[in-house]
PDB file of all heavy atoms in Angstrom:
ATOM      1  N   PRO Z1414       3.566   4.263   4.186  1.00  0.00           N
ATOM      2  CA  PRO Z1414       3.244   4.743   5.483  1.00  0.00           C
ATOM      3  C   PRO Z1414       4.079   4.027   6.579  1.00  0.00           C
ATOM      4  O   PRO Z1414       4.682   2.910   6.328  1.00  0.00           O
ATOM      5  CB  PRO Z1414       1.785   4.304   5.672  1.00  0.00           C
ATOM      6  CG  PRO Z1414       1.627   3.221   4.609  1.00  0.00           C
ATOM      7  CD  PRO Z1414       2.647   3.442   3.486  1.00  0.00           C
ATOM      8  N   LEU Z1415       4.267   4.656   7.750  1.00  0.00           N
ATOM      9  CA  LEU Z1415       5.045   4.060   8.793  1.00  0.00           C
ATOM     10  C   LEU Z1415       4.347   2.967   9.528  1.00  0.00           C
ATOM     11  O   LEU Z1415       3.089   3.148   9.784  1.00  0.00           O
ATOM     12  CB  LEU Z1415       5.476   5.135   9.838  1.00  0.00           C
ATOM     13  CG  LEU Z1415       6.347   6.294   9.284  1.00  0.00           C
ATOM     14  CD1 LEU Z1415       6.530   7.343  10.342  1.00  0.00           C
ATOM     15  CD2 LEU Z1415       7.638   5.778   8.781  1.00  0.00           C
ATOM     16  N   GLY Z1416       4.918   1.919   9.841  1.00  0.00           N
ATOM     17  CA  GLY Z1416       4.329   0.837  10.551  1.00  0.00           C
ATOM     18  C   GLY Z1416       4.358   1.141  12.031  1.00  0.00           C
ATOM     19  O   GLY Z1416       5.086   2.026  12.524  1.00  0.00           O
ATOM     20  N   LEU Z1417       3.554   0.367  12.860  1.00  0.00           N
ATOM     21  CA  LEU Z1417       3.453   0.520  14.189  1.00  0.00           C
ATOM     22  C   LEU Z1417       4.765   0.351  14.970  1.00  0.00           C
ATOM     23  O   LEU Z1417       5.173   1.135  15.831  1.00  0.00           O
ATOM     24  CB  LEU Z1417       2.438  -0.413  14.820  1.00  0.00           C
ATOM     25  CG  LEU Z1417       2.098  -0.245  16.346  1.00  0.00           C
ATOM     26  CD1 LEU Z1417       1.630   1.100  16.592  1.00  0.00           C
ATOM     27  CD2 LEU Z1417       1.156  -1.250  16.783  1.00  0.00           C
ATOM     28  N   ASP Z1418       5.635  -0.646  14.590  1.00  0.00           N
ATOM     29  CA  ASP Z1418       6.948  -0.845  15.171  1.00  0.00           C
ATOM     30  C   ASP Z1418       7.783   0.374  14.966  1.00  0.00           C
ATOM     31  O   ASP Z1418       8.445   0.787  15.898  1.00  0.00           O
ATOM     32  CB  ASP Z1418       7.608  -2.061  14.562  1.00  0.00           C
ATOM     33  CG  ASP Z1418       7.032  -3.396  14.976  1.00  0.00           C
ATOM     34  OD1 ASP Z1418       6.277  -3.360  15.998  1.00  0.00           O
ATOM     35  OD2 ASP Z1418       7.151  -4.460  14.290  1.00  0.00           O
ATOM     36  N   THR Z1419       7.825   0.958  13.787  1.00  0.00           N
ATOM     37  CA  THR Z1419       8.631   2.110  13.607  1.00  0.00           C
ATOM     38  C   THR Z1419       8.178   3.314  14.433  1.00  0.00           C
ATOM     39  O   THR Z1419       8.938   4.055  14.974  1.00  0.00           O
ATOM     40  CB  THR Z1419       8.583   2.478  12.019  1.00  0.00           C
ATOM     41  OG1 THR Z1419       8.963   1.375  11.249  1.00  0.00           O
ATOM     42  CG2 THR Z1419       9.441   3.717  11.734  1.00  0.00           C
ATOM     43  N   LEU Z1420       6.792   3.487  14.491  1.00  0.00           N
ATOM     44  CA  LEU Z1420       6.240   4.581  15.315  1.00  0.00           C
ATOM     45  C   LEU Z1420       6.652   4.456  16.769  1.00  0.00           C
ATOM     46  O   LEU Z1420       6.918   5.408  17.498  1.00  0.00           O
ATOM     47  CB  LEU Z1420       4.760   4.670  15.178  1.00  0.00           C
ATOM     48  CG  LEU Z1420       4.377   5.155  13.736  1.00  0.00           C
ATOM     49  CD1 LEU Z1420       2.797   5.049  13.636  1.00  0.00           C
ATOM     50  CD2 LEU Z1420       4.812   6.522  13.476  1.00  0.00           C
ATOM     51  N   VAL Z1421       6.502   3.225  17.287  1.00  0.00           N
ATOM     52  CA  VAL Z1421       6.912   3.028  18.754  1.00  0.00           C
ATOM     53  C   VAL Z1421       8.431   3.312  18.893  1.00  0.00           C
ATOM     54  O   VAL Z1421       8.758   3.899  19.898  1.00  0.00           O
ATOM     55  CB  VAL Z1421       6.560   1.558  19.140  1.00  0.00           C
ATOM     56  CG1 VAL Z1421       7.193   1.198  20.457  1.00  0.00           C
ATOM     57  CG2 VAL Z1421       5.093   1.374  19.194  1.00  0.00           C
ATOM     58  N   ARG Z1422       9.248   2.715  17.977  1.00  0.00           N
ATOM     59  CA  ARG Z1422      10.730   3.036  18.121  1.00  0.00           C
ATOM     60  C   ARG Z1422      10.989   4.469  18.102  1.00  0.00           C
ATOM     61  O   ARG Z1422      11.841   5.083  18.873  1.00  0.00           O
ATOM     62  CB  ARG Z1422      11.386   2.240  16.999  1.00  0.00           C
ATOM     63  CG  ARG Z1422      12.825   1.982  17.268  1.00  0.00           C
ATOM     64  CD  ARG Z1422      13.465   1.006  16.254  1.00  0.00           C
ATOM     65  NE  ARG Z1422      12.972   1.081  14.858  1.00  0.00           N
ATOM     66  CZ  ARG Z1422      12.187   0.224  14.287  1.00  0.00           C
ATOM     67  NH1 ARG Z1422      11.817  -0.894  14.934  1.00  0.00           N
ATOM     68  NH2 ARG Z1422      11.820   0.322  13.045  1.00  0.00           N
ATOM     69  N   LEU Z1423      10.341   5.280  17.166  1.00  0.00           N
ATOM     70  CA  LEU Z1423      10.582   6.716  17.094  1.00  0.00           C
ATOM     71  C   LEU Z1423      10.080   7.393  18.351  1.00  0.00           C
ATOM     72  O   LEU Z1423      10.744   8.339  18.903  1.00  0.00           O
ATOM     73  CB  LEU Z1423       9.865   7.278  15.836  1.00  0.00           C
ATOM     74  CG  LEU Z1423      10.467   6.912  14.516  1.00  0.00           C
ATOM     75  CD1 LEU Z1423       9.481   7.353  13.391  1.00  0.00           C
ATOM     76  CD2 LEU Z1423      11.831   7.528  14.389  1.00  0.00           C
ATOM     77  N   ARG Z1424       8.914   7.013  18.943  1.00  0.00           N
ATOM     78  CA  ARG Z1424       8.405   7.646  20.196  1.00  0.00           C
ATOM     79  C   ARG Z1424       9.416   7.411  21.260  1.00  0.00           C
ATOM     80  O   ARG Z1424       9.651   8.284  22.067  1.00  0.00           O
ATOM     81  CB  ARG Z1424       7.044   6.939  20.433  1.00  0.00           C
ATOM     82  CG  ARG Z1424       6.478   7.433  21.776  1.00  0.00           C
ATOM     83  CD  ARG Z1424       5.964   8.842  21.751  1.00  0.00           C
ATOM     84  NE  ARG Z1424       5.284   9.027  23.034  1.00  0.00           N
ATOM     85  CZ  ARG Z1424       5.246  10.195  23.543  1.00  0.00           C
ATOM     86  NH1 ARG Z1424       5.632  11.231  22.914  1.00  0.00           N
ATOM     87  NH2 ARG Z1424       4.634  10.359  24.690  1.00  0.00           N
TER      88      ARG Z1424
END
Side-chain angles (χ1 to χ4, degrees):
L1415 296 176
L1417 184 58
D1418 289 339
T1419 302
L1420 293 172
V1421 168
R1422 205 170 31 252
L1423 289 171
R1424 173 75 175 150

